[in-house]
Amino acid sequence: MSGDGILGIRDSKQSKAAITRRRNWLKRRETWLVVLGVILHAVYMLSIFDIYFKTPIVHGMDLVTPRFSAPAKRLVLLVADGLRADKFFEPDSEGHFRAPFLRSVIKGHGRWGVSHARPPTESRPGHVAIIAGFYEDPSAVTKGWKANPVEFDSVFNRSRHTFAFGSPDIVPIFCGALPHSTWNSYPHEFEDFATDASFLDEWSLDQFQSLLNRSKEDPELKRLLQQDNLVIFLHLLGCDSNGHAHRPFSSIYLNNVKVVDHIAKEVYNFVEDYFKDNLTAYIFTADHGMSDKGSHGDGHPSNTDTPLVVWGAGVKYPLPLSNSSHHDCSYRFVDEHAHDTPTPKAWGLDGIERVDVNQADISPLMSTLLGLPGPVNSVGNLPLGYINMNEEDEVEAVLANTKQILNQFLRKSQIKQSHSLYFKPFKPLAKYSSLLDHIEDLVSTRHYKAAMELSENLRSLALEGLHYFQTYDWLMLMTVITLGYIGWMVFLVLHVLQAYTSFQGNVFRKEQAVHQKYYIGKIHFCGCLFMGICSTLLFVERSPPLYHAYVAMTVFLWTRILNEYALIKALWRHLSGRKFHYAVKLFIAVVISVIILEFLVNSFTERKLYTWCFLTVGVLASVYLYSLIPWRSGIPVFVCFACWFLSIFTLMPAEIPDNNKLVVASGAMIIIFGLTARWLDRHADGNKYWSSISNQGIRKLRFPMLFHLQALLVGLSSIMVFLSTSHRTEKQELHAWHQLINWSIAGFSMVLPLFSDDGLLSRLNSIFLGFAPTFLLLSIGYEAVFYGALALVLMAWILFEHTLMYKVRKSSASIKNSEELSILEDGCRSLKLSDVRIPLTFMVLFNIAFFGTGNFASIASFEISSVYRFVTVFSPFLMAALLIFKLFIPFMLVICAFSAITKLLQVPRLGCYFLVILFSDVMTIHFFFLVRNTGSWMEIGNSISHFGIMSAQVVFVLLLFALTNVYTKDIRIKPASPSSRKAM
């Protein structure tokens, strides 16, 4: 046997009955393994929602009634949606500041700073943080961002009455189900990106002015307005809409900053003229910023930095900046912003003390100004730099804030303790009660500074405790899931060794016969007992049903592995008996495999890595081939050219620009490639490096005109691309006969490869030409060229493997005997350690099939206009089906080439498939730990989709294998030479 055979030699002298029994066993085992893989990946895929996306909200906490007098009777909250901090504070090109009124407030009447938003920097999460005091419920990502996954408390809930006017996307979230509220919102039709949206802000101001005017004639309305604990909320959407439509550097957006400043001034004048009691507090801020491209959502400072201006009743006056001016530096900003960042000189405010806050800190600030209990789910820290209170009231305010957060911690602790048999408390807060008593004693004895320090420390510990219970089950769940994946991979390895390699000789079978039956019974009993104990514990702890499924799957897998104890023992005995150089070879193979898989993991976020990959592989493969075969064969040059050609595409933008001429030219390129392959197929002239894959020597073809018909359909599809696109550009619709011809070409062309000759090169060339018309008709730009480039690389892969096979056989003196001894029952040879390169190469090419023209994580990165040559009337399901099928075509080419190589090398295809799944699951575990529940919706969604895509590959690849098997099952491989016919 060859020196890198995995595990010894299988006995070739088996009876026909034994071979039949083994064949039946293998078929049942493969079917069972595929079903198990599908179930396992489906169950484990759901685990991320139990681990990463559980709601942090709990109910049942008591309100903390403040023990201080309310500094303000009412509060006005102005939120300028999408207003960037720098555009608000900086001057315009003429040196004039865009917000003169609010700057006068900063300099003479109130306090200011930057409010730091936490991604996702979207409108709803920002308003939830401001008004309710907690950061977006991560489970919302699974339910749509406009829905409220759970009910939550807010400052509006605690108020005596709330008046709110603004966007229909924001105001109803907080006031729609609030009985003590008066609100109104404009219709969605008002949000027109084609106009200057500042009129939306004016609408909110007009509604508020109208409310005040109506109250003069409506006694009930006037009574509501005269109450204390009143909140007035104006949502100003103009900056957001104008930023999206015109970008934040546009004159329209910058003028909108002046508009919101004017509205703040008008609201201030209206309120002061109406109430005349100086008991109103004002807060002006924004929910998020706006990037230079007119978008938001991520953690860039242009999105997370928003202005905050506070003035009125209960608010400190401006203070000059001093070196000792440090506020709340004990905690980090949620956007990772540094404390005490110098104020830009251009803002003209560097001499006035600036107090930055986290966005959720605004909620306890509002509650404190109104003397209200804080929202029960708030995690904000009261920013003392804004509050104008005496020392005793300051301590009482911070203590109330601390107790409110502590109550959440205690409630979560109580819930978890009531469900846990073995409860692990959060030790730093084990003596919280004595800490509270000590703080109360310090307050009663007027040691306010010490009481303040202890209160702030207790608050920090309570926040840590909340995170502790939010992630309480993480270690258990992640351990169970990781052990499950590892168990699945170990089980796959054992199956591959047992079924597709030369392992399992006579010694093992005799040992197995004596001990296996008794041993398996004990393992099954112990596994069932352990599973019963685990299920009982989970049931007592009231764990969700999926917890039982995770544990059951993991225990089942490891029970099955322990059933193979005799195999593992024989494997260890065999490996320990091999020479040291074999262990080194095995170690190197594992290291190289891990490096390639880690490369693939990183390529999900950086597709340009494939450019360097194929540039490097092109050079290394061609140099290696030069050492094996003469340069005159042209194969080394072709391999290098094909790899370098494909490397270009991952440098191109994922958003494919329209280029109709390039698509038409690609049709001609595809025909040229097809003609070249046909010529080589028919005129190899005894070339030993092409002999096994060509039809050379076969005089009569099954259908001589088939190639010409396929080339004609490719040319016709190019013509239809030109005609359909030209007509649609002019008329905005397609004739019915245009669509009929396109559908006919696509459907007919994909059937023709079934009638091609069964030589390897003939069939693959026919498949390449058969899918080309459909792909061209679905292409809008450079992806049509990518189709040809991918085909060249696949051909280079086949030539590389064929050359390697030829040279290995020629150089091995004892190849005939060893091949005969390592033949499996189905006629394939057993897998060797070096065959690991086949599934690894497949995975690289499988991924480049996606990354070559788009983003693997999102189908939305592929242009929907590519289906317009088949359907122009909006039909989401048909359009999505066409788009997905277009994405499948490169995959099908890769799998067809993979199947051809397994036939060429005579290795078991299902054995290679299981190795592909094994390597996919190494990547799956990596992505499992990379799932995010913070960041922008795109970052969160991409992390989920990366994990989901890899988890689904066990089904996805299998379905494509079944589909492409229709085209590749009857491919015939000719022996390289008469002398090797028996070995083949």
Side-chain angles (χ1 to χ4, degrees):
M1 189 175 181
S2 179
D4 65 347
I6 290 186
L7 293 169
I9 298 174
R10 185 188 302 282
D11 182 13
S12 62
K13 298 176 182 178
Q14 299 181 51
S15 67
K16 290 183 178 179
I19 291 174
T20 302
R21 282 197 304 271
R22 178 171 173 80
R23 236 177 233 162
N24 293 335
W25 168 83
L26 186 58
K27 196 169 184 179
R28 289 194 306 271
R29 179 74 170 257
E30 287 169 346
T31 303
W32 176 81
L33 207 56
V34 168
V35 172
L36 176 65
V38 171
I39 295 172
L40 177 138
H41 287 81
V43 171
Y44 284 174
M45 200 185 302
L46 298 173
S47 66
I48 59 170
F49 300 107
D50 282 319
I51 297 173
Y52 294 102
F53 298 102
K54 271 194 168 182
T55 175
I57 296 174
V58 289
H59 300 284
M61 290 83 70
D62 295 328
L63 295 174
V64 179
T65 304
R67 298 185 302 195
F68 55 86
S69 301
K73 187 176 180 181
R74 69 196 66 84
L75 182 137
V76 176
L77 174 63
L78 304 170
V79 179
D81 202 309
L83 178 57
R84 277 170 60 154
D86 56 347
K87 300 304 171 191
F88 175 78
F89 290 118
E90 70 186 16
D92 58 23
S93 58
E94 298 178 358
H96 303 303
F97 291 101
R98 301 186 184 99
F101 169 71
L102 289 170
R103 287 185 68 83
S104 68
V105 168
I106 291 171
K107 291 184 175 182
H109 306 289
R111 304 286 273 162
W112 77 287
V114 171
S115 170
H116 299 277
R118 191 184 86 168
T121 45
E122 303 283 355
S123 293
R124 189 190 77 156
H127 282 86
V128 168
I130 293 168
I131 300 168
F134 70 93
Y135 297 104
E136 182 58 84
D137 181 355
S139 65
V141 76
T142 66
K143 303 181 182 181
W145 77 274
K146 288 189 176 181
N148 277 337
V150 291
E151 292 301 318
F152 54 81
D153 193 18
S154 72
V155 174
F156 295 177
N157 293 28
R158 305 272 69 87
S159 70
R160 199 176 302 276
H161 200 89
T162 294
F163 295 91
F165 306 102
S167 166
D169 294 323
I170 297 300
V171 173
I173 291 176
F174 301 94
C175 300
L178 193 63
H180 56 277
S181 66
T182 302
W183 62 277
N184 195 10
S185 61
Y186 40 78
H188 280 286
E189 292 75 26
F190 279 28
E191 299 176 26
D192 186 355
F193 289 141
T195 63
D196 181 352
S198 59
F199 79 94
L200 299 176
D201 302 343
E202 300 284 359
W203 182 93
S204 298
L205 177 63
D206 293 343
Q207 290 289 311
F208 177 60
Q209 185 178 10
S210 175
L211 176 81
L212 296 180
N213 292 335
R214 287 201 317 274
S215 70
K216 296 174 182 177
E217 301 173 358
D218 186 341
E220 178 60 23
L221 182 57
K222 186 169 185 177
R223 184 190 66 79
L224 291 175
L225 284 166
Q226 293 296 339
Q227 295 179 109
D228 59 356
N229 302 141
L230 189 73
V231 175
I232 298 165
F233 169 48
L234 297 187
H235 176 249
L236 312 175
L237 186 64
C239 287
D240 185 74
S241 295
N242 284 329
H244 286 311
H246 308 289
R247 308 293 184 267
F249 289 94
S250 66
S251 58
I252 293 178
Y253 179 91
L254 298 177
N255 182 67
N256 209 144
V257 179
K258 299 177 182 178
V259 171
V260 296
D261 179 73
H262 171 73
I263 289 173
K265 180 181 179 181
E266 290 295 299
V267 168
Y268 174 75
N269 291 333
F270 290 157
V271 170
E272 294 303 314
D273 290 344
Y274 185 89
F275 294 105
K276 298 183 175 64
D277 57 5
N278 294 323
L279 290 177
T280 307
Y282 301 85
I283 294 179
F284 175 89
T285 188
D287 55 347
H288 57 75
M290 183 71 62
S291 73
D292 293 346
K293 295 181 179 179
S295 62
H296 53 82
D298 61 24
H300 191 274
S302 62
N303 290 327
T304 61
D305 289 1
T306 61
L308 176 63
V309 182
V310 186
W311 74 101
V315 181
K316 286 180 179 177
Y317 280 83
L319 290 174
L321 186 64
S322 64
N323 293 331
S324 60
S325 299
H326 299 284
H327 293 279
D328 300 321
C329 294
S330 59
Y331 68 97
R332 299 163 63 188
F333 289 124
V334 290
D335 61 351
E336 305 299 328
H337 203 87
H339 279 276
D340 301 313
T341 304
T343 301
K345 293 285 185 182
W347 291 8
L349 298 171
D350 48 327
I352 303 174
E353 186 180 271
R354 161 183 164 183
V355 184
D356 285 8
V357 301
N358 284 325
Q359 198 170 58
D361 299 343
I362 298 174
S363 176
L365 173 61
M366 291 192 289
S367 297
T368 301
L369 289 172
L370 289 172
L372 294 172
V376 293
N377 295 116
S378 171
V379 294
N381 293 302
L382 177 64
L384 288 174
Y386 288 88
I387 301 293
N388 185 19
M389 289 178 165
N390 59 46
E391 195 174 10
E392 180 181 1
D393 285 349
E394 275 191 356
V395 174
E396 289 290 358
V398 171
L399 184 57
N401 181 212
T402 299
K403 287 179 178 178
Q404 173 265 315
I405 295 174
L406 185 64
N407 281 350
Q408 290 182 74
F409 162 80
L410 295 175
R411 179 59 178 158
K412 284 198 172 188
S413 178
Q414 177 190 356
I415 293 171
K416 183 54 68 176
Q417 186 171 9
S418 66
H419 293 170
S420 299
L421 291 174
Y422 175 66
F423 176 67
K424 294 175 289 183
F426 182 64
K427 292 182 180 178
L429 282 178
K431 298 180 180 179
Y432 75 91
S433 182
S434 60
L435 277 174
L436 278 177
D437 291 340
H438 185 43
I439 293 171
E440 296 285 3
D441 290 342
L442 289 172
V443 172
S444 62
T445 56
R446 300 180 181 275
H447 290 85
Y448 298 129
K449 187 174 181 180
M452 178 72 76
E453 185 176 347
L454 279 177
S455 295
E456 289 178 340
N457 290 339
L458 182 58
R459 180 176 63 189
S460 298
L461 287 175
L463 288 170
E464 290 177 21
L466 284 177
H467 179 73
Y468 172 79
F469 284 114
Q470 182 67 20
T471 60
Y472 187 85
D473 292 329
W474 278 25
L475 180 61
M476 183 272 289
L477 287 176
M478 295 184 86
T479 301
V480 168
I481 301 301
T482 303
L483 283 174
Y485 275 118
I486 293 172
W488 164 251
M489 290 189 290
V490 170
F491 194 59
L492 275 183
V493 169
L494 293 176
H495 172 72
V496 170
L497 291 174
Q498 202 171 4
Y500 309 111
T501 71
S502 55
F503 185 60
Q504 197 183 32
N506 284 330
V507 175
F508 165 65
R509 283 202 295 274
K510 288 176 183 175
E511 185 178 319
Q512 185 184 37
V514 177
H515 300 289
Q516 182 122 354
K517 201 168 193 179
Y518 172 72
Y519 186 79
I520 287 177
K522 288 175 63 178
I523 290 294
H524 281 168
F525 174 77
C526 294
C528 291
L529 181 64
F530 183 69
M531 185 61 243
I533 294 171
C534 291
S535 294
T536 303
L537 292 175
L538 291 172
F539 181 78
V540 171
E541 292 190 348
R542 303 180 199 174
S543 299
L546 278 174
Y547 282 30
H548 295 262
Y550 304 146
V551 174
M553 190 68 70
T554 301
V555 172
F556 173 76
L557 282 167
W558 283 99
T559 301
R560 295 293 303 181
I561 291 169
L562 292 175
N563 280 346
E564 304 291 344
Y565 168 77
L567 174 66
I568 297 170
K569 185 178 178 182
L571 172 63
W572 174 254
R573 188 169 57 245
H574 181 85
L575 288 176
S576 60
R578 299 298 293 263
K579 294 181 179 178
F580 178 73
H581 75 87
Y582 181 77
V584 173
K585 189 185 294 186
L586 185 62
F587 176 76
I588 291 173
V590 171
V591 169
I592 291 174
S593 299
V594 171
I595 290 172
I596 292 173
L597 295 175
E598 287 303 302
F599 163 82
L600 292 176
V601 167
N602 286 285
S603 71
F604 273 63
T605 52
E606 186 54 67
R607 57 195 287 266
K608 290 180 181 178
L609 288 173
Y610 284 102
T611 297
W612 295 106
C613 170
F614 281 96
L615 286 174
T616 305
V617 167
V619 173
L620 294 179
S622 60
V623 169
Y624 181 68
L625 288 174
Y626 270 130
S627 68
L628 295 179
I629 59 177
W631 66 270
R632 294 186 301 276
S633 66
I635 292 177
V637 175
F638 171 74
V639 169
C640 186
F641 167 76
C643 291
W644 284 16
F645 186 22
L646 189 64
S647 71
I648 298 170
F649 294 91
T650 44
L651 292 175
M652 295 183 178
E655 295 77 20
I656 301 171
D658 288 355
N659 193 330
N660 191 40
K661 293 179 180 178
L662 188 60
V663 178
V664 174
S666 298
M669 179 194 72
I670 289 169
I671 293 174
I672 293 171
F673 288 173
L675 282 168
T676 305
R678 178 175 170 80
W679 185 88
L680 290 170
D681 186 37
R682 301 300 300 161
H683 301 90
D685 294 331
N687 188 318
K688 54 192 174 183
Y689 304 113
W690 292 84
S691 57
S692 293
I693 63 175
S694 70
N695 262 339
Q696 168 243 334
I698 298 177
R699 297 184 179 278
K700 189 175 180 181
L701 300 176
R702 291 172 62 187
F703 297 96
M705 298 302 294
L706 182 64
F707 172 80
H708 302 86
L709 179 58
Q710 289 191 291
L712 177 64
L713 288 175
V714 174
L716 186 58
S717 65
S718 297
I719 294 171
M720 291 307 300
V721 165
F722 176 77
L723 292 177
S724 300
T725 306
S726 301
H727 188 77
R728 186 173 57 81
T729 303
E730 296 172 5
K731 303 291 184 180
Q732 296 302 314
E733 63 180 14
L734 282 180
H735 284 310
W737 65 271
H738 269 176
Q739 295 184 48
L740 180 62
I741 292 174
N742 291 341
W743 279 102
S744 300
I745 292 172
F748 186 54
S749 65
M750 290 187 293
V751 176
L752 293 180
L754 297 174
F755 302 97
S756 64
D757 295 297
D758 56 7
L760 187 148
L761 186 55
S762 300
R763 179 57 59 88
L764 291 183
N765 189 34
S766 183
I767 293 170
F768 168 66
L769 293 173
F771 284 103
T774 308
F775 198 81
L776 287 174
L777 289 168
L778 288 168
S779 297
I780 61 170
Y782 71 79
E783 78 269 38
V785 185
F786 170 80
Y787 180 82
L790 180 64
L792 290 181
V793 167
L794 294 175
M795 191 66 239
W797 182 25
I798 293 170
L799 289 174
F800 181 88
E801 293 291 349
H802 181 254
T803 303
L804 197 61
M805 177 189 72
Y806 179 86
K807 296 304 293 183
V808 167
R809 283 180 174 161
K810 186 178 178 181
S811 62
S812 179
S814 59
I815 187 65
K816 187 181 292 186
N817 292 333
S818 63
E819 286 289 348
E820 288 176 351
L821 288 173
S822 60
I823 292 291
L824 302 179
E825 287 82 353
D826 58 358
C828 294
R829 68 168 174 83
S830 57
L831 289 172
K832 301 183 294 183
L833 184 59
S834 59
D835 292 328
V836 169
R837 72 182 183 279
I838 301 171
L840 286 172
T841 306
F842 168 80
M843 291 194 67
V844 174
L845 293 171
F846 195 77
N847 282 314
I848 195 66
F850 244 135
F851 285 120
T853 57
N855 174 11
F856 195 97
S858 174
I859 193 173
S861 71
F862 298 91
E863 182 56 55
I864 191 66
S865 64
S866 61
V867 305
Y868 288 164
R869 299 186 188 105
F870 290 94
V871 55
T872 53
V873 178
F874 182 67
S875 177
F877 293 107
L878 179 58
M879 287 179 165
L882 287 169
L883 191 57
I884 291 170
F885 185 71
K886 175 192 175 184
L887 306 183
F888 275 10
I889 289 175
F891 287 153
M892 295 172 75
L893 288 187
V894 174
I895 292 180
C896 285
F898 177 76
S899 299
I901 284 175
T902 58
K903 284 179 175 288
L904 180 67
L905 303 182
Q906 291 191 303
V907 292
R909 191 169 71 145
L910 266 177
C912 291
Y913 162 74
F914 286 126
L915 288 177
V916 167
I917 299 307
L918 172 69
F919 293 141
S920 296
D921 283 330
V922 175
M923 295 173 63
T924 302
I925 290 181
H926 193 132
F927 283 124
F928 175 68
F929 287 99
L930 291 180
V931 172
R932 299 184 58 175
N933 59 3
T934 58
S936 69
W937 289 132
M938 180 179 290
E939 291 167 335
I940 295 172
N942 281 350
S943 71
I944 296 173
S945 65
H946 292 163
F947 173 71
I949 287 167
M950 294 311 302
S951 296
Q953 260 193 28
V954 65
V955 180
F956 182 55
V957 175
L958 186 67
L959 290 175
L960 287 176
F961 264 98
L963 186 61
T964 55
N965 192 52
V966 176
Y967 294 100
T968 60
K969 63 182 178 181
D970 57 348
I971 288 179
R972 183 174 56 84
I973 305 295
K974 292 194 308 175
S977 66
S979 63
S980 62
R981 188 178 302 276
K982 187 174 182 181
M984 291 292 291

